[in-house]
Amino acid sequence: MTAVVRAIDVGFGYTKFTVGGSASDIRCARFPSLACLSTRDPSASLGAERRRTFAIPIKGVFYEVGPDVVLAGDGFRATQIHHRYIDTPEYLALARGAMRSMRVEHIDLLVVGLPVATFAADKAALEKLMTGRHDVGGGKTVHVRKALAMAQPHGALIDYADQHDRVLAMQDEQVW
């Protein structure tokens, strides 16, 4: 059985994530990093407009996230831009919305990105937050067996090395 490995980067502008693929073809997706608060599941309402969003339950309220989330808002875009971003329910809703978009019931390894400025302070806490069972709304859950937080520039470096066939060569290189 092949291990299920996925990645999420909840950024201030977009939430980016992998949705599958193979070793040579990784498929990715994204949606705006905007979570609209609601006291009920908007998709359960009669006459609810059809949009590509998920209602993610967090502590008794719902956060609507997804590609069409701008249709759920009222034109006001409140963002959580501060050093404790990973501790907010909006962050968790965005991460869980990405997990739901992956359409898997379990993830063996979930790689998550962190800004360099908060990496040392937040690495352990984010790995703990992302590990375990996550209610992703709609009666669905995703179980993450292990999470690994990486500084965001590492993803760019790995992508560069892969695109330029430098992965093996870079393993033995040193930067002075």
Side-chain angles (χ1 to χ4, degrees):
M1 183 175 210
T2 304
V4 177
V5 179
R6 297 289 186 269
I8 299 172
D9 181 39
V10 178
F12 293 126
Y14 285 91
T15 297
K16 293 86 56 186
F17 50 95
T18 58
V19 292
S22 64
S24 62
D25 179 37
I26 299 171
R27 287 178 286 151
C28 302
R30 68 183 176 124
F31 54 76
S33 288
L34 179 62
C36 293
L37 184 64
S38 178
T39 56
R40 58 184 168 68
D41 182 348
S43 65
S45 300
L46 290 176
E49 54 187 281
R50 301 293 296 158
R51 51 186 176 234
R52 294 175 305 142
T53 60
F54 302 115
I56 307 296
I58 309 275
K59 297 182 180 177
V61 295
F62 292 90
Y63 290 85
E64 194 170 351
V65 301
D68 291 341
V69 71
V70 295
L71 300 175
D74 59 3
F76 176 74
R77 182 181 165 105
T79 57
Q80 299 282 337
I81 301 177
H82 52 78
H83 72 285
R84 298 304 327 147
Y85 184 44
I86 69 161
D87 296 329
T88 65
E90 291 85 357
Y91 181 95
L92 188 56
L94 293 166
R96 287 180 175 174
M99 287 181 210
R100 181 152 173 197
S101 298
M102 294 172 186
R103 298 182 182 181
V104 295
E105 293 180 1
H106 79 277
I107 299 170
D108 295 301
L109 176 63
L110 178 64
V111 180
V112 288
L114 272 171
V116 173
T118 62
F119 180 73
D122 291 344
K123 180 181 179 355
L126 184 56
E127 289 174 350
K128 182 178 179 182
L129 177 68
M130 292 292 105
T131 301
R133 190 159 307 281
H134 295 273
D135 182 348
V136 296
K140 301 178 186 309
T141 60
V142 175
H143 182 253
V144 176
R145 290 196 173 96
K146 182 178 180 180
L148 172 65
M150 296 182 71
Q152 290 167 332
H154 284 148
L157 178 63
I158 292 166
D159 183 56
Y160 172 85
D162 183 56
Q163 287 186 29
H164 295 88
D165 294 320
R166 301 273 306 144
V167 175
L168 292 175
M170 288 176 70
Q171 289 178 5
D172 296 325
E173 291 178 350
Q174 294 182 11
V175 177
W176 299 97

